[in-house]
Amino acid sequence: MLHVPQLSSDRTFSDALRLELGQFWRSELEPGFQPGEVRVGWTPENLKVQAVLQDRDSYNSVVDFNQPAFLTGDVFEIFLQAPEAEEYYEFHVGPANQLYQLRIPSLECFTKVRQTGIPQEWLIHTETIESSVIQQEDFWTITANIPATLLGISSFAQDQQWKLSFCRYDANRNPDSCILSSTSPFTKVDFHRLDEWKKFLFV
């Protein structure tokens, strides 16, 4: 039987589950890889996420809401899928607290539009995650609360088993590079390999 990590109810991150960003699809870390840690907890009202990312060059030129900032610089990404659901959610936070929010109807739908572009109707405009970013000299810290209501449910609850994945675009300007990492054990570089996202039991 596969071990399912337990996700504790936590308002302060004191007992939050800790996950490390890595490059599981590689035999060894890419040169220039910078580490990051993600903490996850929950309350009935919110999924709580905090990420601390080491970064020698944190930047992103996109400033507008719901623009694909992952094409232009650093981005931290949050993916989640409710139990037994086909739809899933993708949230991006940039180093200046830029937000990008998607509700994706299914992996099949995403595969069909992957090369042509995300339909505008998938963007979530009406409500946003509650996020903040603190930048320091060599790292940045993201804190995000994802309201249950934004996901179309009344609350999070014990014994729910959600699929979660946290990913990163670490862009650098000198030398020019973009290093990808994730908490999910991907066998290929593709953040939408939902069958390789981990399941977490809410306790």
Side-chain angles (χ1 to χ4, degrees), residues 39-51:
R39 298 184 183 186
V40 194
W42 66 280
T43 67
E45 300 81 16
N46 295 290
L47 183 72
K48 299 168 62 65
V49 179
Q50 186 179 78

Side-chain angles (χ1 to χ4, degrees), residues 62-132:
V62 167
V63 295
D64 295 330
F65 175 58
N66 265 348
Q67 295 300 311
F70 68 95
L71 299 173
T72 61
D74 290 293
V75 161
F76 175 70
E77 300 187 345
I78 302 167
F79 294 89
L80 58 160
Q81 186 179 47
E84 309 303 324
E86 285 196 7
E87 69 181 21
Y88 62 100
Y89 292 84
E90 178 176 351
F91 302 103
H92 297 187
V93 184
N97 203 27
Q98 305 97 320
L99 293 180
Y100 182 62
Q101 306 188 144
L102 294 176
R103 176 193 172 275
I104 301 171
S106 68
L107 179 58
E108 181 181 6
C109 290
F110 177 78
T111 302
K112 290 179 179 178
V113 304
R114 190 164 201 166
Q115 302 303 321
T116 57
I118 296 297
Q120 287 296 305
E121 59 267 25
W122 291 8
L123 295 170
I124 303 172
H125 293 284
T126 54
E127 186 176 2
T128 65
I129 65 174
E130 303 164 3
S131 63
S132 63

